[in-house]
Amino acid sequence: MLDHDLFADHEPWEVFDHLQREAPVYRHPEPNGPGFWAITKYDDVLSVLRDTKTFSSEVGGAATIEDLPDDVLEARRNFLEFDPPKHGKYRRLISRNFTPPGVAVYEEWLRELVRHRVEHAVELGEFDLVEELAAPIPIRVLARVLGLPEEKLPRLIELGDRLLVDTDPGIVGELAYAGEQDEDRYKPFGSPWADELCELGREYYAERRECPREDVLTLIANAEIDGEPLSPGDLDNIFALLIVAGNETTRQAIALGTMALAEHPEEYDRLRADPELARSATEELLRFSSPVWWFRRTATADTTIRGVEIAAGDKVVVWFAAGNRDPDHYPDPHRLDVARNPKDHLTFGRGGPHICLGAHLARREMTVMFRELLTRAPEVHATTAPRRLQSMFINGIKELPVALY
Ligand code: HEM
């Protein structure tokens, strides 16, 4: 499960099926570490996410399995890696902008944006799904919500991708093999490109202090916690988190979701016949596709999961994608059923306080995209196999040539 090539080759459902049957709480070895527990059953993933006292995001971090020295972890930390109550103080600074009413204000604008992209794609007829439809939407939505300038979006996409998927040579070149360099260890995501990204962030924050606007960057730039402004490190880490978390993930939700519909023409036809199913289809495609494979927690006390003893300090990795296809929770889990409406899927890290901040935004982007596509394209076909991301963290595709009819 640590092998990026495995995930580049295909979605390894056979591995998750096997673990769920044979070892649902599995002690996975690590070449240069103590190993980690791989949790693959739906109920267990949910229990771990709910119990933030026993399973901490703060102790060893949430987005890396490798054990990082405390000072490195401290320097890179964003609120994804704080436990309650500190976590809530940060999240509440911006959370109202991401609630359903907070997101609804962008609806008309989002429809226009998506309609324009889909019309352009229909004119092209044959095109790369990722480049033409999946990639352009999330970064523009993020730009609108955060308040990022249009001319910087292509560079922000590149930088965000490099921070998040640093294991794919197509994205970060030779560094994919070299691993993290010492000089980058204390930067957000341990990435050499964090400097440039954070420099842009600092520029935007400074503008917002000078001239506040109605956007999320203004809220962060001027925020105080316990009467103190955010530290420069906090500001950098939050900016990097928002760019990275909201872009590639949603791009993959749209790309993988559309690919799943292309591979299941009967479900696509069903949706076209009943557009009311669009919201349900979004939930099912999120369950079925799971753009994020896992997140990590660290046990703070001796405990048990499914009768297996977990020691304080052990790493516990919850595999959302596996839980989403647990046959004890979802009957016939490998079947795509656009009417299933599985609102309780784990894709956004359901259960605990870290549930994805951008979930409502991502859902709206997907639903609007599928509605527009269904209205304008009676058929979607993949013309060759996708090129997959080399990442055991993000489930995704880099390219998928498709044809619309
Ligand atoms: C389909 C797209 C997306 C997926 C699959 C996804 C997935 C996730 C998951 C699984 C978590 C929980 C991490 C944990 O439990 O440790 C999370 C947290 C987060 N997501 Fe998303 N995400 C998506 C879109 C977005 C968007 C559009 C944003 C916009 C800014 C965003 C921002 C965040 C943030 C800030 C957190 C940290 C929340 C916290 O710790 O309180 N995500 N996301």
Side-chain angles (χ1 to χ4, degrees):
M1 287 166 122
L2 289 173
D3 179 5
H4 300 290
D5 291 343
L6 169 72
F7 293 84
D9 187 63
H10 66 288
E11 295 177 335
W13 302 116
E14 74 288 356
V15 175
F16 299 134
D17 289 349
H18 178 75
L19 285 176
Q20 284 178 343
R21 274 194 315 271
E22 304 298 328
V25 182
Y26 173 63
R27 182 78 184 176
H28 194 296
E30 247 182 316
N32 300 311
F36 61 89
W37 294 103
I39 309 299
T40 49
K41 293 292 279 180
Y42 180 98
D43 289 347
D44 298 339
V45 173
L46 198 59
S47 308
V48 168
L49 293 175
R50 277 188 176 145
D51 185 356
T52 57
K53 270 203 163 58
T54 315
F55 300 104
S56 167
S57 296
E58 191 159 330
V59 173
T64 168
I65 296 179
E66 180 196 348
D67 288 309
L68 298 173
D70 283 348
D71 60 340
V72 171
L73 203 55
E74 208 48 52
R76 294 187 196 179
R77 218 183 264 290
N78 53 57
F79 61 88
L80 177 80
E81 296 180 328
F82 288 144
D83 288 334
K86 190 174 178 186
H87 162 260
K89 291 185 183 178
Y90 280 77
R91 182 166 165 133
R92 279 193 294 275
L93 295 173
I94 53 173
S95 53
R96 77 183 151 81
N97 295 54
F98 293 90
T99 56
V103 166
V105 299
Y106 306 110
E107 186 76 16
E108 270 312 303
W109 170 84
L110 175 63
R111 271 189 208 167
E112 265 313 297
L113 173 70
V114 174
R115 187 173 309 147
H116 177 75
R117 295 305 311 192
V118 173
E119 276 172 0
H120 177 63
V122 170
E123 270 168 33
L124 291 174
E126 293 194 20
F127 56 91
D128 171 21
L129 171 71
V130 180
E131 189 185 332
E132 292 297 333
L133 282 186
I137 307 299
I139 190 71
R140 281 179 177 75
V141 171
L142 213 53
R144 180 77 192 243
V145 177
L146 299 188
L148 307 168
E150 177 80 25
E151 71 277 6
K152 275 288 171 195
L153 297 187
R155 188 62 184 153
L156 286 166
I157 294 184
E158 270 171 18
L159 294 170
D161 289 354
R162 290 178 188 183
L163 260 65
L164 187 64
V165 190
D166 61 358
T167 50
D168 188 315
I171 294 176
V172 294
E174 286 297 307
L175 274 187
Y177 309 108
E180 261 175 42
Q181 305 297 294
D182 284 346
E183 64 268 28
D184 301 321
R185 293 227 98 186
Y186 295 88
K187 299 172 184 170
F189 295 78
S191 169
W193 289 283
D195 289 335
E196 186 182 340
L197 185 69
C198 293
E199 197 54 50
L200 289 170
R202 282 174 220 150
E203 206 180 289
Y204 307 146
Y205 286 140
E207 285 166 14
R208 298 316 192 283
R209 283 188 204 106
E210 192 76 15
C211 191
R213 296 193 212 160
E214 290 287 312
D215 60 32
V216 167
L217 289 182
T218 300
L219 292 176
I220 302 169
N222 298 292
E224 288 188 356
I225 289 191
D226 298 333
E228 295 289 328
L230 300 186
S231 70
D234 272 345
L235 289 166
D236 283 351
N237 286 326
I238 294 176
F239 185 69
L241 169 69
L242 291 173
I243 297 293
V244 166
N247 186 28
E248 174 77 290
T249 47
T250 318
R251 177 193 314 166
Q252 293 307 338
I254 295 172
L256 294 171
T258 310
M259 183 170 84
L261 288 174
E263 285 169 350
H264 295 81
E266 69 296 344
E267 292 299 296
Y268 192 76
D269 290 346
R270 207 171 155 203
L271 259 180
R272 272 178 53 82
D274 184 0
E276 289 302 304
L277 285 176
R279 275 172 193 256
S280 160
T282 294
E283 299 306 320
E284 174 67 346
L285 290 164
L286 281 162
R287 178 195 74 83
F288 193 78
S289 306
S290 300
V292 179
W293 290 116
W294 57 265
F295 266 98
R296 167 188 164 178
R297 300 291 187 264
T298 302
T300 56
D302 293 350
T303 184
T304 58
I305 302 177
R306 211 169 271 269
V308 177
E309 289 182 8
I310 312 284
D314 281 358
K315 299 189 261 192
V316 176
V317 176
V318 282
W319 291 81
F320 306 121
N324 276 339
R325 295 213 186 184
D326 179 352
D328 289 333
H329 193 80
Y330 296 113
D332 204 357
H334 295 301
R335 189 167 66 87
L336 181 74
D337 172 0
V338 292
R340 191 192 297 253
N341 205 13
K343 285 186 179 158
D344 60 353
H345 62 70
L346 298 166
T347 302
F348 292 121
R350 175 173 182 267
H354 292 282
I355 185 166
C356 176
L357 183 73
H360 299 298
L361 202 56
R363 284 190 167 104
R364 289 314 301 152
E365 292 179 46
M366 290 177 73
T367 305
V368 170
M369 170 60 77
F370 298 137
R371 281 218 173 105
E372 287 298 323
L373 202 58
L374 292 159
T375 316
R376 282 158 221 281
E379 289 178 37
V380 182
H381 294 284
T383 50
T384 59
R387 277 201 308 127
R388 290 184 51 74
L389 275 181
Q390 200 145 352
S391 169
M392 51 87 71
F393 181 54
I394 296 293
N395 177 20
I397 53 180
K398 288 187 280 197
E399 188 187 20
L400 178 66
V402 294
L404 296 187
Y405 302 107

